[in-house]
Amino acid sequence: MGEHDGYLLGMTPGEVARLADQHEVWRERTTRLWTLAGVAAGQTVVDLGCGPGFTSLDLAGLVGPAGRVVAVDASKTAIAQLARALGDRAIANVIGVEGNAGAIDLGVWSPDVVLSRWLFCFLPDPAAIVRRIADALAPGATLAVMDYAHYLAVDTQPSAPIVRRVFRAVYDSWADAGGSLDVAGLLPTHFDAAGLRVIAVESLSQAGGPGSPVWRWVSTFQRLYLPTLVEKGYLTEDERAAMGEFWASLEADPGALFFAPPILGVVGRK
Ligand SMILES: C[S@@+](CC[C@H](N)C(=O)[O-])C[C@H]1O[C@@H](n2cnc3c(N)ncnc32)[C@H](O)[C@@H]1O
């Protein structure tokens, strides 16, 4: 695979930097999910769809020297980036593996916990992947997924039709690539069908005004992805410019708010 590695957003240096900052913005929510999943020292944890491994590096500290993290991603570029970070930090308890969630056998690592953040929204058949993971888990092992649900609830205060237009374009581009930004709402059904008992469903979303971390997060996303939406015909250049102007007006309004799309953490146990 090349620089884009088949990943919708492209594993470019700009995207790697965005993922690093995204991890800062969502770390506290993510850690809350890991606590609900029972992540602890000494465990074997799989980080499925780990990207460049920002979560994997945190997990390495949580499982400690007696535990291990198996960090799996389909992108060669992402796994190479993780390998560099592991070398730089002399981290020995993380194994980076290039692999596809639809083909890899996770059972060989006997994981205590499988974690997956923002992978399922890219998968054409999330039910099949849940089943595959569930089949690889031993009784008592856990799957915890963090992803989008009911994405079109994203909005701003004050709102404007251009906001809904832009995020609808994001949503449609995801669906046309075979994914779904509503995926997390169906996870309890998929877990149940795969023999996983749902032990927690946690709302992990955020809202914030100009200058807040979540504002920075969505501003960066727009800067990187809206030009692609124009290139692919989901938005016109005029619409992109109108969104830019509206966003600038919000940034001048100390009362403005951005409501991130709903994000759910779903934890299931075999
Ligand atoms: C939005 S990134 C999230 C990365 C990381 N989980 C995080 O939260 O920082 C999505 C990742 O899923 C990976 N991915 C997409 N489809 C995949 C598949 N079928 N199997 C494995 N990885 C996949 C992409 O290569 C990309 O690194």
Side-chain angles (χ1 to χ4, degrees):
M1 289 195 199
E3 189 187 46
H4 286 70
D5 284 4
Y7 167 49
L8 179 62
L9 301 177
M11 201 53 79
T12 58
E15 173 63 3
V16 172
R18 188 191 72 82
L19 290 171
D21 188 55
Q22 172 168 262
H23 182 54
E24 295 301 322
V25 176
W26 293 92
R27 173 183 268 133
E28 188 268 330
R29 267 35 179 210
T30 305
T31 308
R32 194 190 308 166
L33 180 65
W34 294 346
T35 303
L36 290 170
V39 173
Q43 289 179 334
T44 294
V45 172
V46 171
D47 186 1
L48 189 61
C50 61
F54 302 109
T55 41
S56 317
L57 298 174
D58 283 5
L59 287 165
L62 285 177
V63 300
R68 64 181 172 164
V69 178
V70 182
V72 180
D73 200 278
S75 160
K76 189 190 280 300
T77 313
I79 294 300
Q81 173 83 24
L82 170 62
R84 278 193 295 277
L86 295 175
D88 290 349
R89 291 162 211 219
I91 293 176
N93 61 344
V94 178
I95 311 163
V97 179
E98 186 188 334
N100 193 302
I104 196 157
D105 177 11
L106 300 180
V108 297
W109 289 290
S110 307
D112 298 291
V113 186
V114 176
L115 301 169
S116 196
R117 186 177 72 174
W118 291 314
L119 163 72
F120 273 77
C121 60
F122 295 98
L123 300 176
D125 190 353
I129 304 298
V130 169
R131 213 164 38 238
R132 203 181 162 80
I133 298 167
D135 288 349
L137 294 181
T142 302
L143 169 62
V145 176
M146 174 169 168
D147 224 306
Y148 294 110
H150 196 43
Y151 184 84
L152 294 174
V154 67
D155 212 340
T156 56
Q157 174 64 46
S159 189
I162 191 64
V163 175
R164 286 183 288 280
R165 173 81 193 91
V166 163
F167 287 98
R168 176 84 216 187
V170 174
Y171 182 86
D172 289 344
S173 74
W174 236 264
D176 290 347
S180 167
L181 290 171
D182 292 331
V183 69
L186 283 169
L187 287 173
T189 301
H190 298 334
F191 278 35
D192 185 56
L196 297 174
R197 187 168 45 90
V198 175
I199 59 167
V201 175
E202 185 83 351
S203 174
L204 299 170
S205 198
Q206 298 189 54
S212 66
V214 74
W215 192 280
R216 181 179 82 230
W217 172 70
V218 74
S219 300
T220 305
F221 176 74
Q222 291 181 65
R223 188 164 44 72
L224 287 182
Y225 196 50
L226 299 200
T228 306
L229 289 178
V230 173
E231 261 169 46
K232 291 185 174 173
Y234 287 95
L235 280 181
T236 66
E237 182 51 42
D238 285 353
E239 287 169 327
R240 189 180 77 86
M243 183 63 174
E245 270 175 41
F246 183 64
W247 202 252
S249 77
L250 293 178
E251 288 186 329
D253 174 357
L257 282 176
F258 167 68
F259 305 99
I263 293 175
L264 289 183
V266 182
V267 184
R269 186 147 295 150
K270 186 154 171 185

